[in-house]
Amino acid sequence: QVQLVESGGGLVQAGDSLRLSCAASRRTFSRDAMGWFRQAPGKEREFVATISWSSGSTYYANSVKGRFTISRDNAKNTVYLQMNSLKPEDTAVYYCAAGPSISYSSLTYTYWGQGTQVTVSS
């Protein structure tokens, strides 16, 4: 069983930054594509960012492009989401996910973390 544990969420003001971390228990983490998704109250889960196993490819939702950066450290089995210039509309529960290939679709990912709350006040 693969475990993904997110951390780093919190309450911040608009314009602030946060860095989310997702630690994986999987020994083969370095072979997994990783993604970040988010879900706001009353809304469907949406794609945020994804990164290939080698970090050679990254993709972002248009709503976060230029503000968020996804990265990974395979030696630490950890993926990060650096979030800058946060906006109130970024408020959501953020989830990390692991899967066999880089994708915008949540259906591609096999394992999910429990989520971490990010709240951005105006």
Side-chain angles (χ1 to χ4, degrees):
Q1 182 71 23
V2 175
Q3 288 189 323
L4 301 175
V5 180
E6 301 99 334
S7 61
L11 172 63
V12 297
Q13 293 186 331
D16 285 351
S17 297
L18 276 177
R19 188 176 80 157
L20 305 183
S21 299
C22 173
S25 64
R26 186 180 176 92
R27 287 186 299 169
T28 56
F29 170 83
S30 62
R31 303 177 195 169
D32 293 327
M34 299 295 296
W36 285 98
F37 290 77
R38 66 186 182 186
Q39 188 166 18
K43 295 187 177 181
E44 294 186 353
R45 189 170 299 189
E46 66 174 2
F47 167 77
V48 175
T50 185
I51 186 168
S52 64
W53 67 270
S54 65
S55 302
S57 297
T58 57
Y59 296 99
Y60 298 91
N62 287 336
S63 58
V64 307
K65 199 173 295 183
R67 299 188 298 121
F68 290 11
T69 302
I70 188 171
S71 62
R72 65 191 296 165
D73 185 339
N74 289 341
K76 296 182 178 179
N77 284 6
T78 302
V79 63
Y80 305 97
L81 185 69
Q82 177 66 44
M83 305 186 295
N84 298 330
S85 303
L86 282 161
K87 304 175 180 180
E89 51 263 43
D90 294 319
T91 295
V93 177
Y94 283 71
Y95 299 89
C96 72
S101 60
I102 195 168
S103 174
Y104 301 99
S105 173
S106 62
L107 299 176
T108 303
Y109 296 87
T110 309
Y111 302 103
W112 292 82
Q114 82 290 347
T116 185
Q117 176 71 47
V118 172
T119 303
V120 185
S121 63
S122 57

